[in-house]
Amino acid sequence: MEGFITFDARNSCPFTVEPDAFEGVKRVAKKVAADFEKVCGKLPEITEKPENAPGLVLFATLGKSPLTDALIREGKFDPSPIRGKREVYQIKLIDKPFDGVSKALLVCGGDKRGTIYGMFALSEFIGVSPLHFWGDAEPQKRERIEITGKIETVSKEPSVKYRGFFINDEWPCFGEWTFARYGGFTAEVYDHVFELLLRLKGNYLWPAMWTSCFALDGPGSLNEELADIYGVIVGASHHEPCLRASEEWDKVRGPDSVYGNDWNYNKNKNGLLRYWEDALKRSGKYEKLITIGMRGERDSSMLGEEGEFLRENINLLKDIIKSQRELIKKHVNQNLDEVPQLLALYKEVEEFFYGDEKVAGLKDWDELDGVICMFCEDNYGFMRTLPWAEIRGRKGGFGMYYHFDYHGGPISYEWMPSTSFERTWEQMCMAYDYGIKDVWIVNVGDLKFNEVPLAYFMELAYDFEKWGTNSPNSIDGYTKIWTEKNFPLADANVRDKIADVLHGYIRMNAMRRPEALNSSIYHPCHYLEADRMLARAGEIEKANEEVYSALGANEKDAYYSMIYFPAKASVNLLRMHLYAGKNRHYAEQGKKIANHYAALVTECIEKDRALHNEFALFKTGKWKGMELEQHIGFIKWNEDNSRYPLRLQVEPAYKPRLVVSRKDREEVYSKTYGNPMTVLVDDFLYADNDEVILEIANDGIGSLEYEIKPEKEYDWLQISSLKGTVESQEEIILRCDRQKLAGETQNARLLIKDSETAVAVEIKARKPVAQGLPPMTFLENSGLVVMEANHFCGKKDAADKAAGFIELKNYGRSGSACGGGGMKVFPTTAVFGERDEKPSLSYRFLVEESGDYTVEVWMSPANPLENKRPLRFTLTAQGGQEQVITAVPADFMAGSHSDKRWNEGALDQIRISRGQIKLEKGVREIAIGALEAGLVLERVLVYRTGCGPLPSYLGPPESFFVR
Amino acid sequence: MEGFITFDARNSCPFTVEPDAFEGVKRVAKKVAADFEKVCGKLPEITEKPENAPGLVLFATLGKSPLTDALIREGKFDPSPIRGKREVYQIKLIDKPFDGVSKALLVCGGDKRGTIYGMFALSEFIGVSPLHFWGDAEPQKRERIEITGKIETVSKEPSVKYRGFFINDEWPCFGEWTFARYGGFTAEVYDHVFELLLRLKGNYLWPAMWTSCFALDGPGSLNEELADIYGVIVGASHHEPCLRASEEWDKVRGPDSVYGNDWNYNKNKNGLLRYWEDALKRSGKYEKLITIGMRGERDSSMLGEEGEFLRENINLLKDIIKSQRELIKKHVNQNLDEVPQLLALYKEVEEFFYGDEKVAGLKDWDELDGVICMFCEDNYGFMRTLPWAEIRGRKGGFGMYYHFDYHGGPISYEWMPSTSFERTWEQMCMAYDYGIKDVWIVNVGDLKFNEVPLAYFMELAYDFEKWGTNSPNSIDGYTKIWTEKNFPLADANVRDKIADVLHGYIRMNAMRRPEALNSSIYHPCHYLEADRMLARAGEIEKANEEVYSALGANEKDAYYSMIYFPAKASVNLLRMHLYAGKNRHYAEQGKKIANHYAALVTECIEKDRALHNEFALFKTGKWKGMELEQHIGFIKWNEDNSRYPLRLQVEPAYKPRLVVSRKDREEVYSKTYGNPMTVLVDDFLYADNDEVILEIANDGIGSLEYEIKPEKEYDWLQISSLKGTVESQEEIILRCDRQKLAGETQNARLLIKDSETAVAVEIKARKPVAQGLPPMTFLENSGLVVMEANHFCGKKDAADKAAGFIELKNYGRSGSACGGGGMKVFPTTAVFGERDEKPSLSYRFLVEESGDYTVEVWMSPANPLENKRPLRFTLTAQGGQEQVITAVPADFMAGSHSDKRWNEGALDQIRISRGQIKLEKGVREIAIGALEAGLVLERVLVYRTGCGPLPSYLGPPESFFVR
């Protein structure tokens, strides 16, 4: 067809890659050719020059392509949009480009990676997902590929300069897998890793280093060579300076070694310098981002950590860096500014960066001016200190080391994704806005199962302008595109459901990392929390199965590999712990239904094993090994001593015995002498509480007959059953029909009886009191008001700073589990003094009793963004003084396992601050003001002091409010 | 044979009972005749007058026997030793008593009960146990019974006037049993009850009254008539005044009843008076001890209990008592002094007895002068207030209501005996010494299984001079006689073992009532407490089985009925809870050996059922019903909601995993990074601690190989195994041979390893330091000294008061479980002022470090013996001031379920008081002085303040001391 380049099962246009082209381009051409074969069945021929053909595809790089030069000369191609830019490409259809060729598709990069990105863009254009290997995503098979003008594009420069990921904590999964398939951490497996990185438009990699040495495992230098061919810039983590892996040290150290035996710069300076020098000589020739500095052996701190050592450590580190840079100068490049270098401010090194009042830190040392300083979040996905305004413009720029996987305290997480896209968006936007644009690297653990979040992370780094701070709440949009690319044949509604399952299970995991779950997290009865979580898990499972059934053969594997299995296994794990919690709850109540839950726990344990075994067999073992991560009940920072939930067995009593309880309370009510025990149901006094569930249990053998006798007839009260037989436990639902309530508070009394026991139920109800109240007025329940952050009644921006709160949908625990959302101030770099006009949110509620009230402000467990600055906000009760409340004090040690406060926030994914106020009866408001943008407000609780909520993980459901 | 009266299978002497004799004597003659038949196979003939015979047996009562009158006249019998005395008898062989009779055995009573006691004394003489029916005790079968001069005796007057027991809380056991066998609480079953009472030389009974009416159930008046015939004096418990059972009220009350409908003297005075009057008319003609006063319905208090009601209540009670006594005067006897009456000072009535500063109590009311005032212990076997010196001589005298069974708070006990004989001795001696000599009644619940303790109680009441305060530590002597009587054919060593089992299981139960056991009582690991208790249970079980095997057919049933079954079931119950504790302990440690203990719990649950079912079939169901008492895991005051222990199931981890722990600690030591975790074994620093047990567990699947590598060779250290394979858990015993220790403190270090884990063990040892220390010097263990009370180094009596401490062997928890004994001051009525010379005990120990020390004084959970007086003692550290320490404060409410302090002592069977002292390094002494005799000292702990013992039930074992 005129104007098109076409491919089909019989004919395909050749791919032309000139002899001058980069070797990486030549190799990628073969991968792209294979992609074309996948789609239409015929492998395009690769030629070195144009031959007579209706069309061809030319992969070229400016300056490395005589053919392109010719096209430029002939005015057929204008390279100016890409010339001199980083990692950009242009794709253009050119008529009659060469003699005997009627049409060419030119994929031209400004540099090597630009070309390669363009080539993989072509693959994506024909429907091949970047995740086709790692996510088992199959393109739509087509009889014919038509390449039309729609493909023409000029790409942008990537937003972040170095973008990539870190394969880490790679045993047992990645290690077992690659040893079985690729004989180790060889160039064979890295070919797949590099390809993924490049398809995701990344350029930077920290290779696996737990037990492997990238520079030696190729075998030999094959890994480094291959990376260089592809244009993959290899870096190393914070404790592997000068291009040498941590593991290498153990191979060469020794009493008789030329490198010496001590990883101690004071004792073994010459040995260490020689060790680094030899690596720079060996590997400095490749494109690298060279880590400088030093940490102690195996990721420990270098010297004692006591205050008096600060100066010594800083001086030592300066000495080390200076020597390292001299070696770089000597062996890599005389012009140090041309050698990208990185200093990671990890753990104690951060302290050396800042120094203190007495000791100047590394930040003030001009030697580092051209070096990228890399910050790190708290390992749990929350930023710690970020570049403050004064240093934001430094020449060397900044990096961020982010974690989708972490092995360390309080509890490691690696098994399945547990950082929501929303969290990654919020936190990485903040990093970017604070000036971190040079390096973004994310720890992806074993890589497998993190491929989907990784793709998002890479996209955000590549095109921050499109997906970043400018686009709050863009996860849905991103996911829509992603599902289209990866599930091309799926119906639109199935794709929507895929998005639901993907984010559903990850947000569920993000409420608490799976490894940190146990039977004591979600409350087994208060606020029916366990049941709500079971329902949530059930919904995810239902959608998951529906999607899997609905997908055709082309999509099933991708879905299974990227979503179905992680979601199913995550749901099952959560259930295991929820059932175990209910098992213990009922066992402590003495009820034999506990045994039913013990059996369910056993089922989950068995299913967990079965699911993982099934995954190992998927695609005849393609991923075998990747399923081996331990993930159940960690009690140390790692899996050592991890525990399956206990199962408690109840022996039923010798005869049927009636026990009554509220489903949402721990207390049991049973036989007594004199007046029967009385269950109080005062819920119907409060708006929107129209249903209470009672449990009628038989904690003995056999079955019992019960009967419920209302004292009189109550037309406003429905009781789901008035008699029955209980083997183990039955639920009775009490429903209040408020419409039928006349006048003021009404009482009802029921007797629940078997042959020898009577338990009374006292019920109180009244009509709703919402009439005449202004919109967004919340009503209390037993003196407690629970308000999701996004249900404010008023919002005030700081006009002069152009800063204000914006709602983040699906954000945090409130957004995931409580029907709310997060409220965060933008721009993210905003900071306010106590006397500034601050952005604020107001919340309105009806106070039924004047008195002392406690306000609980639930926020994301954010850390202070500036070193040693507390994280604070203001609280103002209507008619009261503004109070400044410290959510995180100045001595808080974000990311430090030894700080219990940080541990709690990180594990619970919430931080609760409290303030005391006085309130008069009536409709009242409180305001929460921001002193900075770091925190995200999730919910606000107000209660009569002393009448706080019952223990639970998520807290009470939101109160009723007037809309 | 000359001088003998003989019986054999062919010939027996006739029993002569004259027509004038009491009907009761006539009936008992038949029972005694049946006893003779049991022994030698021939039933003696009962005649009304002597007939020609070589011999006869004459049963007579002074004044009711013309034949005895004749013998007296003829000078053949001197009645003076018994004439005019209460309940005495004389047994005498008389030559040629009557024409044609060569020899007569005269059993002559001074009154009816005297005669009957004499008759049953004859039965005992020929080997028939008083427990032949209730305890299935079979006499030795003999070819020939020879009655020789050895039988001649003059009995003493009983020590206590009214002696008997209370059948109480009689459902389901006694009730099911008697309804099935005797059609209810009929005269048929009471015939057995009365017979037991009389054989035990008792005279007083409170009949069953939960659902029965003694006066109506005979059927009709048969019960009352039969009691009167036998001379059994029927009383009633504290809330059944004027000879009417509580249950009768419900049968006759009503809105139209002549008695009215309200059990309320204010509202229904006339009705109640008529109700009582009719009962006195009906039942007053029999020999009775009439209860007066009033309590609320169903054993509740009568009016509100608030302070302002005291006067009203006292006045009301006075009004009631006055009216009741007028009715007694009218319908029973004009001379009230001739009518025995009893006022029970139970619960709140005691308060009315004492009154307060403003209101005179009943004690000061002369109307009650001739009435027996009955005190009650705290329902748990410990005296409460006793008659203080000023009132001790009152005319009416005193009674004591004691409990072997109790249904009430904190936890009921009825299943198996759980009050040790030693406790009964100590407490009832105190009652007697304080002047309680008129009524002793003991609540025996269903009677069955309490027959042996009851026999002891009755013997103590009958012959206090022989067994009471004069005879401390006489339980062994009593038991020796008792086993001879009840197991006549058993070998002496088997009888000794019977005594061991009998007291062994009861003392074990007495350490904590069986119903109050649960898996949290005995500590599963600290001080190896659960193991020590398991060993104890094992010893009892072993002896129990040995006795059962060794006994011949004649003794087997008695043993099974009275001891074997109660002991076996008690041992099994204790094991169930101990195993459940270990199950939880190991489950909390994450060890799969927990599952082994869960299975053992299941075995015990099943065995408990099997044992009880077996008992129901014993002797083709003779006791069927008596086995039905609930006895497992009470969590309320009664069996409602009682719980079997929970069983926790551990799922082993995915691979073998090494976990090391000390058997006596909760902490586990496992894989870690860097230096291995270290188990500290410093026990060998302390005298007499030569063995420590380590547990090497595999908390994962499969098995693991371990190896123990000592850092070097230690000749003083033995390790029971240096390598092995662990499926679940192995024990490694570390033994220290002190003889091989040279010089000062030595250290050893072991590494316990499997393929990936190493755990270190740090061992410290030194030579004993006991040389040169004075005798009775205790040595510390980790700053803690534990001294059993009977291991004092000095004892000082209060010379002027002739009072001093005496050791009570096998007393309390120390005597039962800790190898110690109790120390109690005698005389039991001794009281000392703070400045008096007091009896005291000194304890000596070596202080290794000067400083602040805490002294814990462990005493029996005794109550104050005088109303509102605290229970105190003195503590003096060498060189320090005497401190007065209050063990029980003045506001203590003994026996009141609402006083947590009392509950704790009653349940734990110990009360711990603490004092603070300073001690200098060196050999030091402390002295404990008594301010009264009520308390029994069990043990003394001294420790550096803050270094107290680990949590446990029994506390640490006794420390080593120099002998």
Side-chain angles (χ1 to χ4, degrees), chain B residues 140 483-484 486-498 547 550-552 554-556 559:
Chain B
Q140 179 176 3
T483 55
E484 282 165 8
N486 287 278
F487 302 97
L489 294 181
D491 288 349
N493 68 333
V494 174
R495 282 194 199 131
D496 288 349
K497 211 174 265 185
I498 291 173
V547 169
L551 290 175
N554 195 63
E555 272 71 19
K556 259 193 163 67
Y559 188 70

Side-chain angles (χ1 to χ4, degrees), chain A residues 587-591 602 605 609 628 630 636-655 657-659 668-673 677 699 701 756, chain B residues 587-591 602 605 609 628 630 636-655 657-659 668-673 677 699 701 756:
Chain A
E588 283 168 0
Q589 287 188 325
K591 291 178 182 172
T602 304
I605 290 173
R609 289 189 192 123
L628 294 174
Q630 291 306 306
K636 291 188 169 183
W637 66 269
N638 70 355
E639 75 273 16
D640 291 343
N641 292 62
S642 62
R643 308 231 177 128
Y644 282 95
L646 293 172
R647 282 153 292 173
L648 288 79
Q649 201 68 26
V650 170
E651 184 73 18
Y654 64 104
K655 62 170 183 183
R657 288 197 312 203
L658 178 73
V659 170
V668 291
Y669 300 80
S670 59
K671 186 182 175 187
T672 190
Y673 292 79
M677 294 177 82
D699 73 2
I701 55 172
E756 61 171 22
Chain B
E588 284 168 358
Q589 287 188 326
K591 292 179 182 172
T602 304
I605 291 173
R609 290 188 191 124
L628 295 173
Q630 290 306 307
K636 291 187 169 184
W637 66 269
N638 70 354
E639 75 273 18
D640 290 344
N641 292 62
S642 62
R643 307 232 178 128
Y644 282 95
L646 293 173
R647 282 154 292 173
L648 289 79
Q649 202 69 23
V650 170
E651 184 73 18
Y654 64 105
K655 62 170 184 184
R657 288 197 313 203
L658 178 74
V659 170
V668 291
Y669 300 79
S670 59
K671 186 180 173 188
T672 191
Y673 292 79
M677 295 178 79
D699 74 2
I701 55 172
E756 61 169 22

Side-chain angles (χ1 to χ4, degrees), chain A residues 28 84 282 325-326 341 343 402 407 519 561 642 735 748:
Chain A
V28 170
R282 172 191 73 192
R325 280 165 60 85
E326 271 158 30
Q341 294 156 59
L343 175 70
Y402 201 66
H407 266 225
S519 63
S561 176
S642 62
R735 270 199 203 86

Side-chain angles (χ1 to χ4, degrees), chain A residues 638-827:
Chain A
N638 70 355
E639 75 273 16
D640 291 343
N641 292 62
S642 62
R643 308 231 177 128
Y644 282 95
L646 293 172
R647 282 153 292 173
L648 288 79
Q649 201 68 26
V650 170
E651 184 73 18
Y654 64 104
K655 62 170 183 183
R657 288 197 312 203
L658 178 73
V659 170
V660 177
S661 48
R662 288 178 62 121
K663 194 178 184 188
D664 57 0
R665 293 287 193 285
E666 289 169 335
E667 295 76 16
V668 291
Y669 300 80
S670 59
K671 186 182 175 187
T672 190
Y673 292 79
N675 293 328
M677 294 177 82
T678 301
V679 183
L680 179 65
V681 176
D682 63 355
D683 309 55
F684 307 149
L685 292 177
Y686 307 104
D688 221 24
N689 290 278
D690 296 330
E691 188 176 298
V692 165
I693 304 174
L694 299 179
E695 291 174 334
I696 298 189
N698 168 19
D699 73 2
I701 55 172
S703 62
L704 61 78
E705 310 290 321
Y706 73 85
E707 207 176 340
I708 301 183
K709 297 194 166 175
E711 206 166 61
K712 53 180 187 170
E713 210 174 294
Y714 308 100
D715 64 344
W716 50 270
L717 181 67
Q718 290 162 35
I719 305 165
S720 63
S721 160
L722 284 175
K723 60 179 177 174
T725 304
V726 181
E727 203 64 49
S728 179
Q729 183 161 285
E730 301 291 321
E731 294 186 357
I732 301 293
I733 302 167
L734 304 180
R735 270 199 203 86
C736 179
D737 182 351
R738 311 266 182 147
Q739 300 314 313
K740 293 195 174 137
L741 282 172
E744 262 312 281
T745 301
Q746 313 228 348
N747 293 298
R749 191 177 159 87
L750 317 176
L751 273 188
I752 302 178
K753 303 174 79 164
D754 76 339
S755 57
E756 61 171 22
T757 306
V759 170
V761 183
E762 193 81 41
I763 303 164
K764 293 169 186 294
R766 65 175 171 172
K767 288 189 117 171
V769 295
Q771 281 103 332
L773 294 174
M776 304 313 291
T777 303
F778 281 84
L779 298 181
E780 67 156 73
N781 183 338
S782 307
L784 167 68
V785 181
V786 181
M787 301 172 285
E788 293 301 339
N790 54 339
H791 294 149
F792 50 83
C793 68
K795 171 166 136 40
K796 192 162 72 67
D797 292 350
D800 55 333
K801 302 237 181 190
F805 278 98
I806 290 181
E807 179 177 346
L808 303 184
K809 292 190 195 303
N810 295 314
Y811 183 88
R813 280 188 8 184
S814 270
S816 301
C818 303
M823 295 300 299
K824 183 182 171 78
V825 168
F826 287 82

Side-chain angles (χ1 to χ4, degrees), chain B residues 15 25-35 43 46 119:
Chain B
F15 288 179
V25 171
K26 290 177 184 168
R27 295 206 185 181
V28 170
K30 289 183 195 156
K31 293 182 186 285
V32 176
D35 289 348
L43 185 73
I46 297 177
M119 292 164 81

